[in-house]
Amino acid sequence: DLISADQRIRSKFHEKAHSGCLKALTCSGQYLASGSTDETIKLYNLQDHTEIGTLVQHEGTITDLLFFGSSHLVSASEDQTICIWGCGGNWDCLHVLKGHKGKINAISIHPSGKLALSVSKDKTLRMWNLLTGRISYVNNLKQVAELVVWNPVGDQYVIAYETSVSVYDVQSGSVTQNISIGKHINAIQYVQEKILAIGSEFPAIQLYSVTTGKCLQKLEGHTNRVKALVMAPGNTFLFSASSDGTIRAWKMSENLAECSCVSQVDTKSRPTCMTLSSLGVKVDLTASNAQQSDESKSSKVKGDSKSRKRKLEQKSETEESFKEPHKKTKPQ
């Protein structure tokens, strides 16, 4: 919880969710989803802190997870596929998007919810029409892209490579800016329409203008690499998680010189990913790997297969654009 009265961060609950290293977290409303090297997606109810069940469709590490509103969950995997799930009820897998020839590193959903971008080890950027579940555009890249993110208004997106980022204009499809960091990039997050926060092997968070390509400010405080960045609704707070074990809350300002760390907490672990929920109070949820390193290898889930496919039995309605279900194994 981020307690707004005195801006303290406190731990609300913790759960040993997976048998492998956590790679992705996302939340929407009451739902929290986590993805792991164990090839499964776990679902939780944030209102009563209970586990809803486990989604099993991918045959590789879950590399990215995103909710769009309260209706759909999108997952990406090293198995080269993207899955679209209907939220609530039976959590059916509605579509499996295929096309990449290598593991998918990251996905990003357009603010309209009609398009998604994905980047892969196959050195391509793919744009997907989420209304039809088809590829609408493929861009061959010169190197492997590791991250991709839309800007808040959806007229621009950024692709992150190992040590640099490229800014693309949607209308022209051309690169408008290249920014070189010099260190491995772990996280990118728009903090304003034209300001990008970059977390890397540097302990400082760097704020860049995507228009000029210049570094406008550095947020200093962490003592190790920055692993995750999440912006709170309203662009008031930026949260960061670092391999130094801490989560920090930064009070943001239009005048970047006035940005400052207002709270921090030591998780006593090594955070690997982070998400933010605005359910009730602001909740900062971080996945950490206390026993395994960030580079843990994928491991198969062993044991009762029924427990891996446990879902809610209640059915739900889905939007027309995602109505046709993908054939899959039903839970027993």
Side-chain angles (χ1 to χ4, degrees):
D1 281 349
L2 174 61
I3 311 302
S4 58
D6 54 9
Q7 297 180 330
R8 288 184 298 110
I9 301 175
R10 70 179 184 186
S11 175
K12 191 155 189 178
F13 71 95
H14 65 275
E15 170 77 6
K16 183 175 177 168
H18 294 271
S19 61
C21 178
L22 269 74
K23 292 294 185 180
L25 280 173
T26 186
C27 9
S28 176
Q30 71 191 67
Y31 298 124
L32 167 68
S34 61
S36 166
T37 57
D38 65 15
E39 305 180 358
T40 68
I41 301 169
K42 292 278 190 178
L43 300 170
Y44 296 89
N45 187 321
L46 293 177
Q47 289 183 322
D48 55 15
H49 306 157
T50 58
E51 181 181 336
I52 297 173
T54 304
L55 302 182
V56 178
Q57 176 72 41
H58 290 292
E59 296 179 352
T61 293
I62 310 301
T63 56
D64 209 353
L65 289 169
L66 288 174
F67 276 108
F68 181 72
S70 59
S71 60
H72 294 93
L73 171 66
V74 182
S75 59
S77 171
E78 288 187 357
D79 67 7
Q80 307 176 14
T81 68
I82 297 170
C83 290
I84 300 173
W85 309 82
C87 294
N90 203 41
W91 290 86
D92 286 322
C93 182
L94 307 176
H95 282 285
V96 176
L97 309 183
K98 298 180 179 180
H100 280 295
K101 305 303 181 184
K103 74 173 185 177
I104 299 172
N105 291 328
I107 51 176
S108 183
I109 300 175
H110 190 270
S112 69
K114 297 178 181 179
L115 300 171
L117 295 172
S118 60
V119 292
S120 164
K121 195 174 181 179
D122 63 12
K123 297 183 181 179
T124 66
L125 165 82
R126 293 175 186 261
M127 182 178 290
W128 305 85
N129 184 328
L130 294 182
L131 300 180
T132 63
R134 297 174 181 270
I135 297 173
S136 59
Y137 173 76
V138 179
N139 184 11
N140 292 310
L141 306 172
K142 293 182 179 180
Q143 55 183 313
V144 175
E146 301 192 8
L147 300 167
V148 62
V149 63
W150 290 97
N151 76 343
V153 297
D155 63 357
Q156 187 182 80
Y157 60 87
V158 171
I159 296 176
Y161 304 101
E162 184 177 4
T163 62
S164 65
V165 300
S166 294
V167 183
Y168 283 79
D169 177 74
V170 173
Q171 188 170 5
S172 66
S174 61
V175 176
T176 61
Q177 193 61 249
N178 288 303
I179 301 170
S180 179
I181 305 301
K183 290 281 189 177
H184 187 274
I185 296 172
N186 300 315
I188 51 177
Q189 172 69 55
Y190 274 95
V191 295
Q192 296 179 21
E193 185 178 336
K194 301 298 181 182
I195 305 296
L196 185 73
I198 300 178
S200 67
E201 295 299 296
F202 287 119
I205 302 165
Q206 298 170 291
L207 304 182
Y208 277 86
S209 166
V210 296
T211 303
T212 66
K214 295 182 178 180
C215 183
L216 304 177
Q217 182 63 286
K218 293 182 180 180
L219 306 182
E220 298 180 330
H222 287 299
T223 58
N224 206 329
R225 68 177 69 89
V226 178
K227 291 290 293 182
L229 296 169
V230 182
M231 196 70 189
N235 297 333
T236 305
F237 289 97
L238 173 68
F239 289 88
S240 59
S242 167
S243 292
D244 64 13
T246 66
I247 302 169
R248 288 177 178 260
W250 306 85
K251 183 70 177 292
M252 303 305 289
S253 170
E254 289 189 12
N255 180 359
L256 298 180
E258 297 178 358
C259 298
S260 62
C261 180
V262 294
S263 186
Q264 64 174 309
V265 63
D266 188 352
T267 66
K268 308 296 183 183
S269 60
R270 294 181 64 188
T272 58
C273 48
M274 180 169 60
T275 189
L276 191 73
S277 169
S278 56
L279 182 65
V281 294
K282 291 183 176 68
V283 182
D284 183 35
L285 298 148
T286 308
S288 63
N289 189 20
Q291 298 179 342
Q292 296 172 290
S293 68
D294 294 350
E295 294 76 27
S296 294
K297 295 183 178 180
S298 174
S299 60
K300 290 283 186 180
V301 176
K302 298 180 180 180
D304 186 1
S305 61
K306 293 182 181 180
S307 65
R308 294 181 61 197
K309 299 179 181 179
R310 181 163 51 90
K311 298 181 182 179
L312 297 179
E313 296 180 357
Q314 182 183 0
K315 294 184 178 180
S316 66
E317 296 181 355
T318 57
E319 294 181 8
E320 284 297 316
S321 58
F322 294 96
K323 191 172 182 180
E324 183 180 354
H326 172 76
K327 185 177 179 181
K328 63 182 180 64
T329 304
K330 291 289 184 180
Q332 300 179 9

